[in-house]
Amino acid sequence: MIVPGASSQALAAALADELDEPLAAVEYDRFPDGETLAAVPDFDADRAVVVATTDSNDAWVELLQLQDAVREAGATEVVTVIPYMGYARQDQAFEPGHPVSARAMARAASTGADRVVLVNPHEDGVADFFDAHVTICDAAGVLAEPLPDDLVEPLFLSPDSGAVELAEATRDAYGIGEIDYFQKVRHSGTDVEITPSDADPAGRDVVIVDDIVATGSTMSEAVTHLDAGGAARVFATCVHPLLARNARTKLERAGIARIVGTDTVERDVSAVSVAPIVAAAVDAVESA
Ligand code: R5P
């Protein structure tokens, strides 16, 4: 039975279709003191597949509650799918006294899961923080799907060297195009400095590929440079379209032609589903 977290209802429904499993009715509630309650009154299966993007503290708590609720209701196996794992970027203690937040979250989730499925976590190494078995799936293959067929001399570009493989995989899925990457220095959560690459964007359609668009600082800086370099159209594509705070406005003001992402984070730009990829990973987990 597929059990959706509040932030992953569309993806959970798509996954239920892919796996041909029923979708549990989940009740999400909040007490007057602010505590959340996620319950599964009709859960009735041996295996629970909890699907919960953890893009907020409440979502993390709901995930833990759902894992516990399905066990209470009789599940003997819990597979937890975390399509977008919040806190994954806090994967080290950046200053003395800081926590390794990704590890803390991973350990908490592991207490209720037999197996975990992640989609493009910021670094694959985050899997080591889980005590449960982890399968990582890669959405790069579907990122090209929403792009127009008529890209002119396409240039696929990652805003830093860390996402160049994602850009390459997206180009491969699209079929044609050059690859390049920018150099990025992050000065703060919202202040990034980008150094343009060698590839000349003049007159070309450029696709910027990244794993996450969070504050939109990275993408909007990249778009500004490409615009100044005379790029024809600039598309932004990412796995996780978090689009926090004023990210959307930043991108629009920078002159983006279109932004697209997957349904790991459910936004109006989530143009492509990772459900088939996640379904394959859940099945692979099953036979692991
Ligand atoms: C960083 O290494 C990531 O790949 C993204 O570039 C980054 O997380 C995007 O964050 P923001 O949208 O806040 O610039």
Side-chain angles (χ1 to χ4, degrees), residues 84 89 122-123 159-160 162-163 166 184 186 188-192 209-220 242-244 247 250-251:
Y84 166 70
R89 289 182 292 172
H122 184 56
E123 297 285 349
D160 57 40
L166 203 57
K184 179 173 86 175
R186 182 178 285 281
S188 73
T190 53
D191 183 18
V192 299
V209 186
D210 207 350
D211 56 341
I212 308 169
V213 178
T215 67
S217 306
T218 303
M219 273 291 179
S220 56
L242 274 180
L243 298 176
K250 276 189 200 166
L251 290 165

Side-chain angles (χ1 to χ4, degrees), residues 19 31 70 73 80 102 116 121 131 150-151 156 211 228 236 240:
L19 292 170
F31 291 101
V70 295
T80 295
V116 173
D131 299 318
D150 63 348
L151 292 180
F156 289 81
D211 56 341
H240 310 297

